[in-house]
Amino acid sequence: MPKTRLAILIGPKGRGTNLKAIARACQDGRLEAEVAVVISPAGDSPAAQWVREQGLTLELVSPKAEAYGGGLLAVLRAHSAEWVCLAGYTRLLPTEVLNAYAGRILNIHPALLPKYGGKGMYGSHVHEAVVAAGETESGCSVHLVTERYDEGPIIFQVRCPVEPGDTPETLAARVLELEKQAYWQAIAQAIKRPHSA
Ligand code: GRF
Protein backbone atom coordinates (compact mmCIF):
# COMPACT_ATOMS: atom_id res chain seq x y z
CA MET A 1 0.00 0.00 0.00
CA PRO A 2 1.42 3.45 -0.79
CA LYS A 3 2.40 5.42 2.30
CA THR A 4 0.50 8.53 3.28
CA ARG A 5 2.41 11.61 2.19
CA LEU A 6 2.97 14.20 4.92
CA ALA A 7 4.02 17.82 4.56
CA ILE A 8 5.61 19.18 7.73
CA LEU A 9 5.55 22.95 8.23
CA ILE A 10 8.14 24.36 10.59
CA GLY A 11 8.83 27.85 11.90
CA PRO A 12 11.66 30.20 10.94
CA LYS A 13 13.73 29.23 14.00
CA GLY A 14 12.65 25.58 14.06
CA ARG A 15 14.42 23.30 16.52
CA GLY A 16 12.92 20.27 14.85
CA THR A 17 12.07 18.06 17.84
CA ASN A 18 8.66 17.14 16.49
CA LEU A 19 9.83 16.98 12.90
CA LYS A 20 12.58 14.51 13.83
CA ALA A 21 10.22 12.40 15.93
CA ILE A 22 7.74 12.15 13.04
CA ALA A 23 10.46 11.42 10.48
CA ARG A 24 11.91 8.65 12.67
CA ALA A 25 8.51 7.08 13.22
CA CYS A 26 8.07 7.03 9.43
CA GLN A 27 11.53 5.57 8.86
CA ASP A 28 11.22 2.75 11.36
CA GLY A 29 7.68 1.83 10.34
CA ARG A 30 5.80 2.88 13.49
CA LEU A 31 3.96 5.32 11.25
CA GLU A 32 2.71 4.18 7.83
CA ALA A 33 3.60 7.49 6.24
CA GLU A 34 6.48 9.37 4.67
CA VAL A 35 7.72 12.93 4.94
CA ALA A 36 7.06 14.12 1.39
CA VAL A 37 8.24 17.67 2.03
CA VAL A 38 9.30 19.97 4.84
CA ILE A 39 8.23 23.57 4.31
CA SER A 40 10.03 26.35 6.12
CA PRO A 41 10.04 30.14 5.92
CA ALA A 42 13.83 30.14 6.44
CA GLY A 43 16.69 27.90 5.42
CA ASP A 44 19.08 28.55 8.28
CA SER A 45 17.29 27.08 11.30
CA PRO A 46 18.62 23.94 13.01
CA ALA A 47 15.56 22.06 11.73
CA ALA A 48 16.11 23.16 8.12
CA GLN A 49 19.76 22.12 8.32
CA TRP A 50 18.77 18.73 9.68
CA VAL A 51 16.33 18.26 6.78
CA ARG A 52 19.15 18.81 4.29
CA GLU A 53 21.50 16.47 6.15
CA GLN A 54 18.86 13.74 6.05
CA GLY A 55 18.33 14.17 2.33
CA LEU A 56 14.69 15.07 2.89
CA THR A 57 13.01 17.60 0.63
CA LEU A 58 13.05 21.18 1.92
CA GLU A 59 11.01 23.94 0.33
CA LEU A 60 11.40 27.53 1.44
CA VAL A 61 8.14 29.46 1.31
CA SER A 62 8.05 32.94 2.78
CA PRO A 63 4.81 34.02 4.45
CA LYS A 64 5.74 37.54 3.37
CA ALA A 65 5.60 36.62 -0.31
CA GLU A 66 2.81 38.01 -2.42
CA ALA A 67 0.23 35.31 -3.11
CA TYR A 68 1.55 33.30 -0.15
CA GLY A 69 -1.60 31.18 0.06
CA GLY A 70 -1.56 30.11 -3.57
CA GLY A 71 2.19 29.56 -3.44
CA LEU A 72 2.02 27.37 -0.35
CA LEU A 73 -0.83 25.35 -1.84
CA ALA A 74 1.12 24.89 -5.07
CA VAL A 75 4.10 23.52 -3.13
CA LEU A 76 1.88 21.12 -1.18
CA ARG A 77 0.32 19.88 -4.40
CA ALA A 78 3.65 19.65 -6.22
CA HIS A 79 4.74 17.13 -3.57
CA SER A 80 1.38 15.35 -3.56
CA ALA A 81 1.00 16.03 0.16
CA GLU A 82 -2.06 14.35 1.63
CA TRP A 83 -1.80 15.67 5.20
CA VAL A 84 -0.24 18.83 6.58
CA CYS A 85 1.41 18.72 10.02
CA LEU A 86 2.38 21.96 11.72
CA ALA A 87 5.44 21.56 13.93
CA GLY A 88 6.44 24.89 15.38
CA TYR A 89 4.60 26.90 12.70
CA THR A 90 2.91 29.73 14.61
CA ARG A 91 0.94 31.62 11.95
CA LEU A 92 -2.61 31.13 10.80
CA LEU A 93 -2.70 29.24 7.53
CA PRO A 94 -3.97 30.94 4.38
CA THR A 95 -7.57 30.24 3.37
CA GLU A 96 -6.55 28.46 0.18
CA VAL A 97 -4.70 25.82 2.19
CA LEU A 98 -7.36 25.56 4.93
CA ASN A 99 -10.02 24.91 2.30
CA ALA A 100 -8.03 22.48 0.19
CA TYR A 101 -6.89 20.42 3.20
CA ALA A 102 -9.87 20.82 5.57
CA GLY A 103 -9.79 18.00 8.13
CA ARG A 104 -6.28 17.01 7.08
CA ILE A 105 -4.19 19.66 8.86
CA LEU A 106 -2.82 18.92 12.33
CA ASN A 107 -0.95 20.96 14.91
CA ILE A 108 0.70 20.08 18.21
CA HIS A 109 0.38 22.50 21.10
CA PRO A 110 2.39 22.26 24.34
CA ALA A 111 -0.52 22.46 26.78
CA LEU A 112 -3.85 20.83 27.50
CA LEU A 113 -6.14 22.71 25.14
CA PRO A 114 -8.63 24.35 25.27
CA LYS A 115 -6.69 25.98 28.12
CA TYR A 116 -3.54 27.98 27.36
CA GLY A 117 -4.11 28.30 23.62
CA GLY A 118 -4.85 31.17 21.27
CA LYS A 119 -2.97 34.04 19.74
CA GLY A 120 0.33 34.72 21.46
CA MET A 121 0.25 31.41 23.34
CA TYR A 122 3.33 29.72 21.95
CA GLY A 123 6.74 28.67 23.20
CA SER A 124 7.67 29.80 26.70
CA HIS A 125 4.50 31.94 27.02
CA VAL A 126 2.46 28.76 27.36
CA HIS A 127 4.55 27.23 30.15
CA GLU A 128 4.88 30.55 31.98
CA ALA A 129 1.09 30.84 32.06
CA VAL A 130 0.61 27.24 33.23
CA VAL A 131 3.12 27.64 36.08
CA ALA A 132 1.78 31.08 37.07
CA ALA A 133 -1.75 29.67 37.29
CA GLY A 134 -0.60 26.99 39.73
CA GLU A 135 -1.81 24.14 37.53
CA THR A 136 -0.94 20.68 38.80
CA GLU A 137 -1.14 19.11 35.36
CA SER A 138 -0.06 20.00 31.84
CA GLY A 139 0.74 18.11 28.68
CA CYS A 140 0.35 18.42 24.94
CA SER A 141 -2.55 18.39 22.51
CA VAL A 142 -2.80 17.50 18.86
CA HIS A 143 -5.72 19.17 17.13
CA LEU A 144 -7.15 19.85 13.72
CA VAL A 145 -6.25 23.25 12.36
CA THR A 146 -8.95 25.76 11.50
CA GLU A 147 -8.96 29.50 10.77
CA ARG A 148 -8.62 30.29 14.49
CA TYR A 149 -5.58 29.72 16.68
CA ASP A 150 -5.64 26.40 18.56
CA GLU A 151 -9.43 26.01 18.38
CA GLY A 152 -9.92 23.02 16.08
CA PRO A 153 -11.13 19.68 17.44
CA ILE A 154 -8.63 18.00 19.78
CA ILE A 155 -7.79 14.50 18.60
CA PHE A 156 -5.03 13.42 21.00
CA GLN A 157 -3.69 14.51 24.40
CA VAL A 158 -0.96 13.30 26.70
CA ARG A 159 -0.71 14.56 30.29
CA CYS A 160 2.08 15.07 32.77
CA PRO A 161 2.25 16.51 36.28
CA VAL A 162 3.43 20.02 37.00
CA GLU A 163 5.82 19.35 39.88
CA PRO A 164 6.20 21.67 42.87
CA GLY A 165 9.20 23.84 42.10
CA ASP A 166 8.80 23.56 38.32
CA THR A 167 9.90 26.56 36.32
CA PRO A 168 8.57 27.26 32.82
CA GLU A 169 11.84 25.75 31.54
CA THR A 170 11.62 22.47 33.46
CA LEU A 171 7.97 22.11 32.50
CA ALA A 172 8.75 22.87 28.84
CA ALA A 173 11.35 20.11 28.81
CA ARG A 174 8.92 17.57 30.32
CA VAL A 175 6.20 18.46 27.83
CA LEU A 176 8.61 18.32 24.89
CA GLU A 177 9.43 14.71 25.81
CA LEU A 178 5.72 13.91 25.64
CA GLU A 179 5.42 15.61 22.26
CA LYS A 180 7.97 13.20 20.77
CA GLN A 181 5.57 10.35 21.51
CA ALA A 182 2.29 12.15 20.98
CA TYR A 183 2.53 13.59 17.48
CA TRP A 184 3.34 10.48 15.49
CA GLN A 185 0.68 8.49 17.36
CA ALA A 186 -1.89 11.18 16.67
CA ILE A 187 -0.95 11.21 12.99
CA ALA A 188 -1.18 7.42 12.85
CA GLN A 189 -4.73 7.54 14.22
CA ALA A 190 -5.78 10.47 12.07
CA ILE A 191 -4.64 9.07 8.74
CA LYS A 192 -6.47 5.82 9.46
CA ARG A 193 -9.65 7.53 10.56
CA PRO A 194 -9.93 11.12 9.30
CA HIS A 195 -11.94 13.57 11.42
CA SER A 196 -13.74 16.63 10.11
CA ALA A 197 -12.50 20.12 10.95
C1 GRF B 1 6.61 22.61 20.19
O1 GRF B 1 6.63 22.91 21.56
C2 GRF B 1 5.19 22.51 19.71
O2 GRF B 1 4.29 22.10 20.70
C3 GRF B 1 4.87 23.91 19.30
O3 GRF B 1 6.07 24.41 18.76
C4 GRF B 1 7.17 23.74 19.34
C5 GRF B 1 8.02 23.24 18.23
O4 GRF B 1 9.23 22.70 18.71
N1 GRF B 1 3.78 23.96 18.36
P1 GRF B 1 10.18 21.83 17.79
O5 GRF B 1 10.64 22.69 16.64
O6 GRF B 1 9.41 20.63 17.34
O7 GRF B 1 11.35 21.47 18.68
Short mmCIF file of all heavy atoms in Angstrom, two decimals, residues 10-11 13-20 47 86-90 107-111 122-123 127 140-141 172 175-176 179, ligand 1:
data_model
loop_
_atom_site.label_atom_id
_atom_site.label_comp_id
_atom_site.label_asym_id
_atom_site.label_seq_id
_atom_site.Cartn_x
_atom_site.Cartn_y
_atom_site.Cartn_z
N ILE A 10 7.39 23.95 9.40
CA ILE A 10 8.14 24.36 10.59
C ILE A 10 8.25 25.89 10.62
O ILE A 10 7.95 26.56 9.63
CB ILE A 10 9.54 23.69 10.63
CG1 ILE A 10 10.37 24.08 9.41
CG2 ILE A 10 9.39 22.17 10.74
CD1 ILE A 10 11.80 23.55 9.46
N GLY A 11 8.70 26.40 11.74
CA GLY A 11 8.83 27.85 11.90
C GLY A 11 10.21 28.33 11.48
O GLY A 11 11.12 27.52 11.25
N LYS A 13 12.61 29.57 13.11
CA LYS A 13 13.73 29.23 14.00
C LYS A 13 13.62 27.79 14.46
O LYS A 13 14.09 27.44 15.55
CB LYS A 13 13.73 30.16 15.21
CG LYS A 13 13.97 31.60 14.81
CD LYS A 13 14.03 32.49 16.02
CE LYS A 13 14.20 33.93 15.58
NZ LYS A 13 13.70 34.87 16.57
N GLY A 14 12.99 26.95 13.66
CA GLY A 14 12.65 25.58 14.06
C GLY A 14 13.79 24.82 14.73
O GLY A 14 14.90 24.77 14.21
N ARG A 15 13.46 24.20 15.88
CA ARG A 15 14.42 23.30 16.52
C ARG A 15 14.33 21.92 15.90
O ARG A 15 15.30 21.18 15.82
CB ARG A 15 14.05 23.11 18.00
CG ARG A 15 14.44 24.15 18.95
CD ARG A 15 13.95 23.77 20.32
NE ARG A 15 12.50 23.46 20.32
CZ ARG A 15 11.77 23.38 21.41
NH1 ARG A 15 12.32 23.54 22.60
NH2 ARG A 15 10.48 23.12 21.35
N GLY A 16 13.10 21.53 15.57
CA GLY A 16 12.92 20.27 14.85
C GLY A 16 12.64 19.05 15.71
O GLY A 16 12.69 17.93 15.20
N THR A 17 12.33 19.24 17.00
CA THR A 17 12.07 18.06 17.84
C THR A 17 10.92 17.22 17.28
O THR A 17 11.03 16.01 17.13
CB THR A 17 11.70 18.50 19.28
OG1 THR A 17 12.59 19.52 19.68
CG2 THR A 17 11.74 17.33 20.24
N ASN A 18 9.82 17.88 16.99
CA ASN A 18 8.66 17.14 16.49
C ASN A 18 8.89 16.61 15.08
O ASN A 18 8.54 15.47 14.77
CB ASN A 18 7.41 18.03 16.54
CG ASN A 18 6.85 18.11 17.94
OD1 ASN A 18 6.26 17.16 18.43
ND2 ASN A 18 7.07 19.24 18.61
N LEU A 19 9.50 17.43 14.25
CA LEU A 19 9.83 16.98 12.90
C LEU A 19 10.66 15.69 12.93
O LEU A 19 10.36 14.71 12.23
CB LEU A 19 10.61 18.10 12.19
CG LEU A 19 11.37 17.72 10.94
CD1 LEU A 19 10.41 17.30 9.83
CD2 LEU A 19 12.25 18.88 10.48
N LYS A 20 11.70 15.69 13.75
CA LYS A 20 12.58 14.51 13.83
C LYS A 20 11.81 13.30 14.34
O LYS A 20 11.99 12.18 13.85
CB LYS A 20 13.77 14.78 14.76
CG LYS A 20 14.76 15.76 14.19
CD LYS A 20 15.87 16.00 15.20
CE LYS A 20 16.68 17.22 14.79
NZ LYS A 20 17.69 17.58 15.79
N ALA A 47 16.45 23.07 12.34
CA ALA A 47 15.56 22.06 11.73
C ALA A 47 15.78 21.99 10.22
O ALA A 47 15.85 20.90 9.64
CB ALA A 47 14.11 22.40 12.04
N LEU A 86 1.66 20.78 11.26
CA LEU A 86 2.38 21.96 11.72
C LEU A 86 3.25 21.55 12.91
O LEU A 86 2.76 20.92 13.86
CB LEU A 86 1.41 23.06 12.14
CG LEU A 86 0.30 23.44 11.15
CD1 LEU A 86 -0.45 24.67 11.65
CD2 LEU A 86 0.84 23.67 9.75
N ALA A 87 4.51 21.92 12.85
CA ALA A 87 5.44 21.56 13.93
C ALA A 87 6.30 22.77 14.23
O ALA A 87 7.39 22.95 13.71
CB ALA A 87 6.30 20.36 13.50
N GLY A 88 5.73 23.66 15.04
CA GLY A 88 6.44 24.89 15.38
C GLY A 88 6.08 26.05 14.45
O GLY A 88 6.68 27.11 14.52
N TYR A 89 5.07 25.84 13.62
CA TYR A 89 4.60 26.90 12.70
C TYR A 89 3.55 27.70 13.45
O TYR A 89 2.54 27.13 13.87
CB TYR A 89 4.02 26.23 11.46
CG TYR A 89 3.52 27.17 10.40
CD1 TYR A 89 4.37 27.58 9.37
CD2 TYR A 89 2.22 27.64 10.42
CE1 TYR A 89 3.92 28.44 8.39
CE2 TYR A 89 1.76 28.51 9.43
CZ TYR A 89 2.62 28.89 8.43
OH TYR A 89 2.16 29.75 7.46
N THR A 90 3.78 28.99 13.67
CA THR A 90 2.91 29.73 14.61
C THR A 90 1.94 30.70 13.94
O THR A 90 1.25 31.45 14.64
CB THR A 90 3.77 30.51 15.63
OG1 THR A 90 4.71 31.29 14.90
CG2 THR A 90 4.48 29.60 16.59
N ASN A 107 -1.94 20.16 14.18
CA ASN A 107 -0.95 20.96 14.91
C ASN A 107 -0.73 20.33 16.27
O ASN A 107 -1.64 19.69 16.82
CB ASN A 107 -1.45 22.39 15.09
CG ASN A 107 -0.45 23.26 15.84
OD1 ASN A 107 0.76 23.22 15.56
ND2 ASN A 107 -0.92 24.02 16.81
N ILE A 108 0.47 20.50 16.81
CA ILE A 108 0.70 20.08 18.21
C ILE A 108 0.93 21.33 19.04
O ILE A 108 1.62 22.27 18.61
CB ILE A 108 1.87 19.08 18.33
CG1 ILE A 108 1.93 18.54 19.76
CG2 ILE A 108 3.22 19.69 17.90
CD1 ILE A 108 2.71 17.24 19.90
N HIS A 109 0.31 21.34 20.21
CA HIS A 109 0.38 22.50 21.10
C HIS A 109 0.87 22.02 22.47
O HIS A 109 0.39 20.99 22.97
CB HIS A 109 -1.01 23.13 21.22
CG HIS A 109 -1.01 24.39 22.02
ND1 HIS A 109 -0.59 25.60 21.50
CD2 HIS A 109 -1.36 24.62 23.30
CE1 HIS A 109 -0.69 26.52 22.45
NE2 HIS A 109 -1.14 25.96 23.54
N PRO A 110 1.78 22.77 23.11
CA PRO A 110 2.39 22.26 24.34
C PRO A 110 1.61 22.55 25.61
O PRO A 110 2.17 23.00 26.61
CB PRO A 110 3.76 22.96 24.34
CG PRO A 110 3.49 24.27 23.68
CD PRO A 110 2.43 24.01 22.65
N ALA A 111 0.32 22.31 25.59
CA ALA A 111 -0.52 22.46 26.78
C ALA A 111 -1.80 21.66 26.56
O ALA A 111 -2.03 21.15 25.45
CB ALA A 111 -0.87 23.93 27.03
N TYR A 122 2.39 30.65 22.59
CA TYR A 122 3.33 29.72 21.95
C TYR A 122 4.62 29.75 22.76
O TYR A 122 4.86 30.67 23.55
CB TYR A 122 3.59 30.10 20.47
CG TYR A 122 4.17 31.47 20.30
CD1 TYR A 122 5.56 31.66 20.32
CD2 TYR A 122 3.35 32.57 20.16
CE1 TYR A 122 6.09 32.93 20.21
CE2 TYR A 122 3.88 33.85 20.04
CZ TYR A 122 5.25 34.01 20.07
OH TYR A 122 5.79 35.27 19.97
N GLY A 123 5.43 28.73 22.57
CA GLY A 123 6.74 28.67 23.20
C GLY A 123 6.66 28.87 24.70
O GLY A 123 5.75 28.37 25.38
N HIS A 127 4.11 27.84 28.89
CA HIS A 127 4.55 27.23 30.15
C HIS A 127 4.59 28.25 31.29
O HIS A 127 4.31 27.92 32.43
CB HIS A 127 5.91 26.55 29.95
CG HIS A 127 5.87 25.57 28.80
ND1 HIS A 127 5.14 24.42 28.86
CD2 HIS A 127 6.41 25.63 27.56
CE1 HIS A 127 5.25 23.78 27.70
NE2 HIS A 127 6.02 24.49 26.90
N CYS A 140 0.39 17.90 26.31
CA CYS A 140 0.35 18.42 24.94
C CYS A 140 -0.92 17.93 24.25
O CYS A 140 -1.50 16.92 24.65
CB CYS A 140 1.60 18.02 24.16
SG CYS A 140 1.82 16.26 23.94
N SER A 141 -1.31 18.68 23.24
CA SER A 141 -2.55 18.39 22.51
C SER A 141 -2.27 18.41 21.02
O SER A 141 -1.59 19.32 20.53
CB SER A 141 -3.60 19.47 22.78
OG SER A 141 -3.79 19.68 24.17
N ALA A 172 8.63 22.93 30.31
CA ALA A 172 8.75 22.87 28.84
C ALA A 172 9.50 21.61 28.42
O ALA A 172 9.12 20.93 27.46
CB ALA A 172 9.47 24.11 28.32
N VAL A 175 7.25 18.53 28.86
CA VAL A 175 6.20 18.46 27.83
C VAL A 175 6.81 18.10 26.47
O VAL A 175 6.22 17.31 25.71
CB VAL A 175 5.43 19.80 27.76
CG1 VAL A 175 4.50 19.84 26.56
CG2 VAL A 175 4.64 20.03 29.05
N LEU A 176 7.98 18.62 26.18
CA LEU A 176 8.61 18.32 24.89
C LEU A 176 8.89 16.81 24.75
O LEU A 176 8.74 16.25 23.67
CB LEU A 176 9.90 19.12 24.71
CG LEU A 176 10.45 19.20 23.29
CD1 LEU A 176 9.45 19.86 22.34
CD2 LEU A 176 11.77 19.96 23.25
N GLU A 179 5.76 15.29 23.65
CA GLU A 179 5.42 15.61 22.26
C GLU A 179 6.06 14.60 21.30
O GLU A 179 5.46 14.24 20.29
CB GLU A 179 5.89 17.03 21.92
CG GLU A 179 5.12 18.08 22.68
CD GLU A 179 5.47 19.49 22.24
OE1 GLU A 179 5.60 19.74 21.03
OE2 GLU A 179 5.64 20.35 23.12
C1 GRF B 1 6.61 22.61 20.19
O1 GRF B 1 6.63 22.91 21.56
C2 GRF B 1 5.19 22.51 19.71
O2 GRF B 1 4.29 22.10 20.70
C3 GRF B 1 4.87 23.91 19.30
O3 GRF B 1 6.07 24.41 18.76
C4 GRF B 1 7.17 23.74 19.34
C5 GRF B 1 8.02 23.24 18.23
O4 GRF B 1 9.23 22.70 18.71
N1 GRF B 1 3.78 23.96 18.36
P1 GRF B 1 10.18 21.83 17.79
O5 GRF B 1 10.64 22.69 16.64
O6 GRF B 1 9.41 20.63 17.34
O7 GRF B 1 11.35 21.47 18.68
#
